[in-house]
Amino acid sequence: MDWIDLYNNDLKKDYFKKLLEDVKEEYKNYTCFPPYENIFRAYKLTPLEDVKVVILGQDPYHEKGQANGLAFSVDCKKLPPSLKNIYKEMEKDLGLTVNQDGDLSYLAKQGVMLLNTTLTVREGEANSHKDLGWSHFTNNSIALLNALSTPKVFILWGNDAKTKKSLITNPNHLIIESAHPSPLSAYHGFFGSKPFSKANEFLKANGRKPIDWVKEENNLFNLK
């Protein structure tokens, strides 16, 4: 089974048909993000069988030139505050200098699924597509990942992501939760949470190849 099977299964359901129609109308009548062709990019870059780590975001960045279909990832040089804090924690956790260019697709290609719980948004209007029905589809995605026996790490940052904890019931998996990396909450439990080293320790302990969190190859304590 792969993501296309989940997509095709939900396509038989009324909620998903309406969701896709509503999304088309939104993109036709408003400026929306990410680019239409990148709405399902997280699924395309990280096949179901390759998922090792799931990082849950809320909805895409809503300013022009930012959202690229991967949670917390951007296509511009100016980094959003949350991503800056993610890099800060990554550097402190791993004791390494991180190439902070904003594009996290290198992680997605290693098995880190960067999944927003809402996949689209109107320009300048955070959470504007929250009630379109995306949560049904992304909840089904999380439930499918949970059902698979291969050990995975679910990283839940902030209260919105933590609401998905009830979907993760398989004892084979590890849940890492903390405050959100937003400047409003990063100093209340995100900084110092060490999610990146904890995820790799779990993956290694379960016979899975750890993640090279930094972009440069052969840079992560000889974990390859």
Side-chain angles (χ1 to χ4, degrees), residues 34 42 66 76 81 90 97 124 127 147 149 156 167 173 175 188 192 198 201 209 217:
Q66 293 185 322
C76 58
M90 191 181 290
T97 299
N127 283 322
S149 60
L156 311 180
L167 299 170
H173 308 317
I175 297 174
H188 299 283
K198 288 177 180 177
E201 288 167 6
K209 184 178 178 181
E217 293 184 356

mmCIF file of all heavy atoms in Angstrom, residues 34 42 66 76 81 90 97 124 127 147 149 156 167 173 175 188 192 198 201 209 217:
data_model
loop_
_atom_site.group_PDB
_atom_site.id
_atom_site.type_symbol
_atom_site.label_atom_id
_atom_site.label_comp_id
_atom_site.label_asym_id
_atom_site.label_seq_id
_atom_site.Cartn_x
_atom_site.Cartn_y
_atom_site.Cartn_z
ATOM 1 N N PRO A 34 0.232 26.230 -0.599
ATOM 2 C CA PRO A 34 1.374 26.362 -1.501
ATOM 3 C C PRO A 34 0.907 26.391 -2.956
ATOM 4 O O PRO A 34 -0.311 26.325 -3.197
ATOM 5 C CB PRO A 34 2.162 25.081 -1.202
ATOM 6 C CG PRO A 34 1.106 24.071 -0.880
ATOM 7 C CD PRO A 34 0.087 24.848 -0.091
ATOM 8 N N ALA A 42 4.298 16.676 0.283
ATOM 9 C CA ALA A 42 4.818 15.867 1.393
ATOM 10 C C ALA A 42 4.628 14.380 1.135
ATOM 11 O O ALA A 42 5.474 13.552 1.507
ATOM 12 C CB ALA A 42 4.124 16.262 2.703
ATOM 13 N N GLN A 66 6.762 31.651 0.278
ATOM 14 C CA GLN A 66 7.222 30.831 1.398
ATOM 15 C C GLN A 66 6.834 29.362 1.251
ATOM 16 O O GLN A 66 7.689 28.513 1.048
ATOM 17 C CB GLN A 66 6.671 31.395 2.713
ATOM 18 C CG GLN A 66 7.227 32.751 3.108
ATOM 19 C CD GLN A 66 6.742 33.201 4.487
ATOM 20 O OE1 GLN A 66 5.599 32.969 4.859
ATOM 21 N NE2 GLN A 66 7.611 33.838 5.227
ATOM 22 N N CYS A 76 12.283 30.447 0.180
ATOM 23 C CA CYS A 76 12.909 31.770 0.157
ATOM 24 C C CYS A 76 14.067 31.810 1.145
ATOM 25 O O CYS A 76 14.179 30.961 2.030
ATOM 26 C CB CYS A 76 11.886 32.854 0.488
ATOM 27 S SG CYS A 76 11.095 32.650 2.091
ATOM 28 N N PRO A 81 10.248 32.843 11.635
ATOM 29 C CA PRO A 81 10.763 32.688 13.002
ATOM 30 C C PRO A 81 10.749 31.242 13.517
ATOM 31 O O PRO A 81 11.690 30.813 14.181
ATOM 32 C CB PRO A 81 9.842 33.588 13.827
ATOM 33 C CG PRO A 81 9.383 34.635 12.868
ATOM 34 C CD PRO A 81 9.239 33.924 11.556
ATOM 35 N N MET A 90 18.264 22.462 16.484
ATOM 36 C CA MET A 90 18.994 21.416 15.772
ATOM 37 C C MET A 90 20.496 21.554 16.010
ATOM 38 O O MET A 90 21.197 20.565 16.282
ATOM 39 C CB MET A 90 18.670 21.491 14.267
ATOM 40 C CG MET A 90 19.148 20.307 13.454
ATOM 41 S SD MET A 90 18.758 20.496 11.692
ATOM 42 C CE MET A 90 16.977 20.301 11.709
ATOM 43 N N THR A 97 26.922 22.835 12.959
ATOM 44 C CA THR A 97 26.448 24.008 12.230
ATOM 45 C C THR A 97 25.547 23.535 11.098
ATOM 46 O O THR A 97 25.921 22.658 10.318
ATOM 47 C CB THR A 97 27.628 24.811 11.658
ATOM 48 O OG1 THR A 97 28.447 25.250 12.742
ATOM 49 C CG2 THR A 97 27.125 26.024 10.888
ATOM 50 N N GLY A 124 -2.221 35.562 3.387
ATOM 51 C CA GLY A 124 -2.436 36.526 4.458
ATOM 52 C C GLY A 124 -3.485 36.147 5.481
ATOM 53 O O GLY A 124 -3.799 36.939 6.364
ATOM 54 N N ASN A 127 -4.882 29.834 8.906
ATOM 55 C CA ASN A 127 -5.983 28.924 9.283
ATOM 56 C C ASN A 127 -7.261 29.138 8.469
ATOM 57 O O ASN A 127 -8.323 28.643 8.851
ATOM 58 C CB ASN A 127 -6.317 29.048 10.783
ATOM 59 C CG ASN A 127 -5.306 28.337 11.651
ATOM 60 O OD1 ASN A 127 -4.809 27.276 11.308
ATOM 61 N ND2 ASN A 127 -4.976 28.936 12.774
ATOM 62 N N ALA A 147 -0.795 2.445 11.984
ATOM 63 C CA ALA A 147 -1.157 1.023 11.838
ATOM 64 C C ALA A 147 0.006 0.166 11.340
ATOM 65 O O ALA A 147 0.008 -1.044 11.558
ATOM 66 C CB ALA A 147 -2.340 0.896 10.882
ATOM 67 N N SER A 149 3.604 -1.535 11.286
ATOM 68 C CA SER A 149 4.402 -2.040 12.409
ATOM 69 C C SER A 149 5.822 -1.477 12.453
ATOM 70 O O SER A 149 6.433 -1.441 13.520
ATOM 71 C CB SER A 149 4.457 -3.565 12.355
ATOM 72 O OG SER A 149 5.053 -4.003 11.150
ATOM 73 N N LEU A 156 5.622 15.973 17.800
ATOM 74 C CA LEU A 156 4.446 16.832 17.957
ATOM 75 C C LEU A 156 4.862 18.121 18.652
ATOM 76 O O LEU A 156 5.183 18.118 19.836
ATOM 77 C CB LEU A 156 3.367 16.109 18.774
ATOM 78 C CG LEU A 156 3.023 14.676 18.348
ATOM 79 C CD1 LEU A 156 1.930 14.112 19.255
ATOM 80 C CD2 LEU A 156 2.609 14.607 16.891
ATOM 81 N N LEU A 167 -4.333 9.525 17.945
ATOM 82 C CA LEU A 167 -4.313 8.686 16.742
ATOM 83 C C LEU A 167 -3.111 7.750 16.721
ATOM 84 O O LEU A 167 -3.046 6.839 15.896
ATOM 85 C CB LEU A 167 -4.286 9.561 15.481
ATOM 86 C CG LEU A 167 -5.473 10.500 15.262
ATOM 87 C CD1 LEU A 167 -5.180 11.456 14.110
ATOM 88 C CD2 LEU A 167 -6.747 9.703 14.982
ATOM 89 N N HIS A 173 5.865 2.656 18.007
ATOM 90 C CA HIS A 173 6.296 4.003 17.631
ATOM 91 C C HIS A 173 6.675 4.840 18.851
ATOM 92 O O HIS A 173 6.246 4.559 19.982
ATOM 93 C CB HIS A 173 5.192 4.709 16.848
ATOM 94 C CG HIS A 173 4.661 3.923 15.695
ATOM 95 N ND1 HIS A 173 5.477 3.223 14.833
ATOM 96 C CD2 HIS A 173 3.385 3.702 15.251
ATOM 97 C CE1 HIS A 173 4.734 2.616 13.909
ATOM 98 N NE2 HIS A 173 3.464 2.885 14.146
ATOM 99 N N ILE A 175 6.636 8.766 20.441
ATOM 100 C CA ILE A 175 6.079 10.112 20.369
ATOM 101 C C ILE A 175 7.005 11.059 21.129
ATOM 102 O O ILE A 175 7.341 10.814 22.287
ATOM 103 C CB ILE A 175 4.666 10.173 20.979
ATOM 104 C CG1 ILE A 175 3.692 9.281 20.193
ATOM 105 C CG2 ILE A 175 4.153 11.616 20.997
ATOM 106 C CD1 ILE A 175 2.317 9.176 20.827
ATOM 107 N N HIS A 188 9.425 27.927 26.221
ATOM 108 C CA HIS A 188 8.597 27.255 27.224
ATOM 109 C C HIS A 188 8.557 25.745 26.994
ATOM 110 O O HIS A 188 7.534 25.105 27.225
ATOM 111 C CB HIS A 188 7.183 27.835 27.221
ATOM 112 C CG HIS A 188 7.134 29.299 27.551
ATOM 113 N ND1 HIS A 188 7.267 29.776 28.837
ATOM 114 C CD2 HIS A 188 6.995 30.386 26.754
ATOM 115 C CE1 HIS A 188 7.194 31.102 28.822
ATOM 116 N NE2 HIS A 188 7.037 31.488 27.576
ATOM 117 N N GLY A 192 15.830 22.921 24.062
ATOM 118 C CA GLY A 192 16.322 21.943 25.019
ATOM 119 C C GLY A 192 15.599 20.613 24.970
ATOM 120 O O GLY A 192 15.951 19.687 25.714
ATOM 121 N N LYS A 198 17.056 12.488 19.871
ATOM 122 C CA LYS A 198 16.167 11.456 20.414
ATOM 123 C C LYS A 198 15.590 10.587 19.291
ATOM 124 O O LYS A 198 15.477 9.359 19.432
ATOM 125 C CB LYS A 198 15.043 12.093 21.218
ATOM 126 C CG LYS A 198 15.475 12.683 22.554
ATOM 127 C CD LYS A 198 14.296 13.350 23.254
ATOM 128 C CE LYS A 198 14.722 13.949 24.586
ATOM 129 N NZ LYS A 198 13.584 14.670 25.243
ATOM 130 N N GLU A 201 18.340 8.256 18.022
ATOM 131 C CA GLU A 201 18.622 7.189 18.986
ATOM 132 C C GLU A 201 17.576 6.080 18.886
ATOM 133 O O GLU A 201 17.899 4.887 18.929
ATOM 134 C CB GLU A 201 18.652 7.761 20.404
ATOM 135 C CG GLU A 201 19.878 8.614 20.689
ATOM 136 C CD GLU A 201 19.735 9.431 21.968
ATOM 137 O OE1 GLU A 201 18.716 9.240 22.676
ATOM 138 O OE2 GLU A 201 20.620 10.256 22.241
ATOM 139 N N LYS A 209 18.069 3.223 9.730
ATOM 140 C CA LYS A 209 19.105 4.212 9.457
ATOM 141 C C LYS A 209 18.674 5.575 10.004
ATOM 142 O O LYS A 209 17.558 6.022 9.759
ATOM 143 C CB LYS A 209 19.332 4.321 7.943
ATOM 144 C CG LYS A 209 20.462 5.244 7.548
ATOM 145 C CD LYS A 209 20.640 5.232 6.038
ATOM 146 C CE LYS A 209 21.743 6.190 5.609
ATOM 147 N NZ LYS A 209 21.921 6.202 4.137
ATOM 148 N N GLU A 217 26.673 16.041 3.714
ATOM 149 C CA GLU A 217 26.787 14.607 3.936
ATOM 150 C C GLU A 217 27.935 14.283 4.889
ATOM 151 O O GLU A 217 28.877 15.055 5.054
ATOM 152 C CB GLU A 217 27.002 13.884 2.607
ATOM 153 C CG GLU A 217 25.800 13.949 1.678
ATOM 154 C CD GLU A 217 25.986 13.146 0.424
ATOM 155 O OE1 GLU A 217 27.077 12.586 0.234
ATOM 156 O OE2 GLU A 217 25.046 13.081 -0.364
#
